[in-house]
Amino acid sequence: MQPTHRLMIGNYVGALRQWVQLQEEYDCLFAIVDLHALTVPQDPAKLRQRTLEVAALYLAAGIDPEKSIIFVQSHVPAHTQLTWVLSCFTYMGECSRMTQFKEKSAKQKNINVGLFTYPILMAADILLYQADLVPVGADQKQHLELTRNLAQRFNHYYPNTFTVPEPYIPPIGAKIMSLQNPQKKMSKSDPEEKATLFLTDPPDVIRSKIRRAVTDSERTIAYDPEKRPGISNLITLYHVATGKPIETIVAEFEGKGYKEFKEALAEALIEMLRPLQQRFHELMAEKTELKNILRKGAEAAGQRAHRTLRKVYKKVGLLLPDT
Ligand code: AMP
């Protein structure tokens, strides 16, 4: 994930929580992709702070540095080095066809080359590690397709260089909607603060955001995402926080009002986040442990990345300094 904003409950449900499961079955690498964040203007001090915060949240959510590699992208220079070589194998048309580039460049004045070549850096992130699987959401599918094309193209010229990665589509998880506009996905960059529940929101803020969450003019606690998206989203959140099935929740709150349900939901979310927040604050209070984990992660990732980079440099005809 990019360290551009604070992580929120949707990131936890849609990504982090699943990653924690994946590390039990797979050899996983988790990066905080700070170089990608530079494609839009950033406040330098904030970017540095968020990078540590996202790392601390990965760990607090249960990413285990004994089982997985967790690292900051810019700590492994091979990412930018491979990007250059891959750029020389990417057609301009391929990058300009990317939906995300088209959308972002239509919205923003600063259309820099980094925004254009972003998918090539993403391809390097993946191919450096000979990844078999990449967990991606729908918005990243096209970028992964480009990664696959680049790997295949490169392998065509230089056989057996890259593993061609497959998308890993996680079991359909809950999609969390905005607390203020339940027709829209919750987003960590929503300008309206109270629409988003951040993982680090203190209990009082959680209570206030849930209290003010948009519902509807009906009175029953019923699950119907089409007709009653607001209350249904809150029921989903209650399910996320307690693990109880939706039907059980609906039965539990039969005959009760929104106020009571919202109070119970806020407390359940506070309870769910309590251990995560505690660990997060420990890691952020004394950063030596966090920085050590990231240093070790970068070393481990760097070794693997360097092997691939050497192979690529050699194949394309660059003179290796030690040969
Ligand atoms: P983003 O915040 O868009 O960078 O997304 C990071 C990860 O969080 C992606 O894997 C998304 O699938 C997941 N994610 C983002 N927003 C939501 C949401 N509202 N509900 C569920 N998952 C989400």
Side-chain angles (χ1 to χ4, degrees), residues 1 11-22 61 63 173-174 239-241 243 272:
M1 282 194 251
N11 300 131
Y12 179 71
V13 176
L16 261 182
R17 197 172 60 162
Q18 295 175 359
W19 297 354
V20 172
Q21 296 295 320
L22 284 177
I63 301 291
H239 159 70
V240 164
M272 176 188 75

Side-chain angles (χ1 to χ4, degrees), residues 1 8 10-11 14-15 174-176 185-186 188:
M1 282 194 251
M8 48 87 185
N11 300 131
K175 187 155 90 173
I176 308 297
K185 238 173 72 162
M186 186 183 281
K188 55 183 154 70

Side-chain angles (χ1 to χ4, degrees), residues 1-2 4-16 18-19 135-140 170 173-178 184-189:
M1 282 194 251
Q2 288 191 34
T4 42
H5 299 87
R6 287 176 295 162
L7 301 187
M8 48 87 185
I9 193 89
N11 300 131
Y12 179 71
V13 176
L16 261 182
Q18 295 175 359
W19 297 354
V136 280
D139 59 333
Q140 291 300 327
K175 187 155 90 173
I176 308 297
M177 311 308 280
S178 154
K184 188 173 96 173
K185 238 173 72 162
M186 186 183 281
S187 158
K188 55 183 154 70
S189 56

Side-chain angles (χ1 to χ4, degrees), residues 9-74:
I9 193 89
N11 300 131
Y12 179 71
V13 176
L16 261 182
R17 197 172 60 162
Q18 295 175 359
W19 297 354
V20 172
Q21 296 295 320
L22 284 177
Q23 66 182 349
E24 301 302 326
E25 271 182 75
Y26 298 94
D27 170 25
C28 299
L29 289 108
F30 299 107
I32 297 107
V33 290
D34 55 348
L35 293 169
H36 283 282
L38 295 181
T39 52
V40 291
Q42 299 292 338
D43 171 330
K46 255 197 198 150
L47 179 60
R48 255 190 295 277
Q49 173 73 6
R50 293 262 186 270
T51 301
L52 287 172
E53 284 177 3
V54 173
L57 280 174
Y58 278 16
L59 294 165
I63 301 291
D64 180 352
E66 299 293 321
K67 294 180 184 153
S68 304
I69 296 178
I70 158 169
F71 69 104
V72 176
Q73 184 189 30
S74 67

Side-chain angles (χ1 to χ4, degrees), residues 129-280:
Y129 301 100
Q130 308 291 352
D132 296 295
L133 294 171
V134 187
V136 280
D139 59 333
Q140 291 300 327
K141 266 198 183 147
Q142 198 188 20
H143 290 166
L144 187 64
E145 203 42 51
L146 176 70
T147 303
R148 288 170 50 82
N149 289 340
L150 288 178
Q152 279 157 346
R153 185 173 308 149
F154 202 93
N155 286 347
H156 172 74
Y157 292 113
Y158 310 105
N160 306 318
T161 308
F162 293 124
T163 303
V164 181
E166 300 283 340
Y168 171 85
I169 311 289
I172 298 171
K175 187 155 90 173
I176 308 297
M177 311 308 280
S178 154
L179 296 178
Q180 289 301 313
N181 176 2
Q183 312 281 358
K184 188 173 96 173
K185 238 173 72 162
M186 186 183 281
S187 158
K188 55 183 154 70
S189 56
D190 196 318
E192 198 179 6
E193 272 260 328
K194 62 181 193 292
T196 307
L197 198 68
F198 294 102
L199 293 177
T200 48
D201 277 344
D204 281 353
V205 174
I206 297 179
R207 287 191 191 101
S208 148
K209 285 183 179 172
I210 296 297
R211 202 166 43 236
R212 290 189 290 169
V214 167
T215 46
D216 51 37
S217 54
E218 305 213 19
R219 289 175 196 286
T220 52
I221 313 295
Y223 186 75
D224 184 347
E226 290 267 302
K227 294 205 190 87
R228 302 183 56 194
I231 187 67
S232 301
N233 186 40
L234 298 184
I235 294 175
T236 302
L237 281 173
Y238 197 79
H239 159 70
V240 164
T242 60
K244 290 181 189 173
I246 304 285
E247 312 83 74
T248 312
I249 300 168
V250 171
E252 189 180 327
F253 287 94
E254 203 186 329
K256 294 184 180 155
Y258 286 167
K259 185 164 178 283
E260 197 173 332
F261 173 65
K262 282 180 163 182
E263 279 168 5
L265 169 61
E267 295 315 309
L269 286 164
I270 291 166
E271 274 316 302
M272 176 188 75
L273 293 175
R274 193 189 304 281
L276 182 149
Q277 293 189 349
Q278 195 181 338
R279 180 75 180 124
F280 170 78

